């Protein structure tokens, strides 16, 4: 009888142990806004959300607060995708709170971006926020920027496997 109970317990627990870091260990929300402040101001926001094995891609764009949302697209993450993302988040130290904001030129036409990365891995949380001009080439050298963009590029790579029309557009020209 003890052997039967042990076997049943093993059959119930084995899939959880084999899974390793995966679906329930990772939660992620990335917001990328690209916009222009001018007479005809407009912006476009992309939201990438990961919960469990599901990656959701949504975009909202419009002029002067009259946004138009495009139907969200869902993508399935493999266990390997999840492990890679968790490893990248840990290796790049994205489970911390940090931000960079460059001064904005308010005269004339101003093209800007905002990047927000909220990550939760096994209960540890991080929030990264980066704001600046699309011409702020010095920002490309900031470690925080490089680390956050590496994560965004990895996610776009996962999306691109299934939908080649969705590609990452660099934040800084």
């Amino acid at each position: 009888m003890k052997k039967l109970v042990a076997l049943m317990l093993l059959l119930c627990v084995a899939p959880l142990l084999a899974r390793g870091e995966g679906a329930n260990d990772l939660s992620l929300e990335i917001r990328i806004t690209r916009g222009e402040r001018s007479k005809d101001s407009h912006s476009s926001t992309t939201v990438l959300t990961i919960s469990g094995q599901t990656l959701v891609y949504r975009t909202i764009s419009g002029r002067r607060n009259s946004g138009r949302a495009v139907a969200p697209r869902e993508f399935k993450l493999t266990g390997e995708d999840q492990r890679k993302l968790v490893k990248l988040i840990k290796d790049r130290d994205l489970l911390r709170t940090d931000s960079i904001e460059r001064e904005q030129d308010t005269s004339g036409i101003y093209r800007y971006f905002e990047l927000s990365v909220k990550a939760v891995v096994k209960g540890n949380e991080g929030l990264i926020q980066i704001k600046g001009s699309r011409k702020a080439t010095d920002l490309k050298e900031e470690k925080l920027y490089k680390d956050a963009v590496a994560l965004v590029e990895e996610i776009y790579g996962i999306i691109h496997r299934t939908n080649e029309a969705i590609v990452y557009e660099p934040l800084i020209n």
Side-chain angles (χ1 to χ4, degrees):
M1 184 60 134
K2 288 182 183 180
K3 288 181 182 180
L4 182 60
V5 170
L7 181 60
M8 293 297 287
L9 183 60
L10 181 61
L11 289 174
C12 292
V13 173
L16 298 173
L17 295 174
R19 189 192 76 211
E21 291 185 334
N24 296 325
D25 298 332
L26 174 64
S27 173
L28 194 60
E29 180 180 280
I30 297 175
R31 290 182 167 276
I32 304 166
T33 300
R34 295 174 179 91
E36 177 182 297
R37 292 194 183 114
S38 64
K39 185 174 111 182
D40 297 320
S41 293
H42 66 278
S43 68
S44 174
T45 300
T46 300
V47 181
L48 305 167
T49 308
I50 293 176
S51 181
Q53 294 180 319
T54 304
L55 164 60
V56 178
Y57 172 93
R58 294 181 294 150
T59 59
I60 305 162
S61 62
R63 296 184 179 276
R64 296 190 180 197
N65 301 326
S66 62
R68 189 184 93 238
V70 176
R73 297 179 189 154
E74 289 191 9
F75 302 88
K76 184 166 173 68
L77 295 175
T78 65
E80 182 61 23
D81 291 333
Q82 293 170 329
R83 284 185 290 279
K84 274 184 170 177
L85 291 171
V86 168
K87 182 175 179 353
L88 183 62
I89 289 167
K90 288 180 177 180
D91 289 351
R92 299 288 186 136
D93 193 24
L94 294 173
L95 291 175
R96 67 179 197 267
T97 299
D98 204 348
S99 66
I100 301 173
E101 185 169 356
R102 292 289 193 259
E103 287 189 26
Q104 301 176 6
D105 179 12
T106 55
S107 63
I109 297 173
Y110 176 71
R111 290 182 179 86
Y112 67 94
F113 75 91
E114 296 176 2
L115 172 62
S116 170
V117 178
K118 181 179 181 184
V120 180
V121 176
K122 289 188 173 183
N124 297 315
E125 295 184 30
L127 177 61
I128 306 298
Q129 295 180 313
I130 304 171
K131 299 177 182 181
S133 167
R134 302 276 322 256
K135 295 180 182 181
T137 56
D138 65 311
L139 204 53
K140 285 182 175 183
E141 301 307 314
E142 295 279 347
K143 183 177 178 348
L144 185 63
Y145 176 85
K146 289 178 185 180
D147 293 342
V149 168
L151 178 62
V152 172
E153 289 175 338
E154 184 70 29
I155 293 170
Y156 269 88
I158 293 168
I159 292 170
H160 193 71
R161 280 192 323 236
T162 307
N163 187 329
E164 293 182 0
I166 300 175
V167 294
Y168 173 72
E169 177 191 337
L171 299 172
I172 299 173
N173 301 333

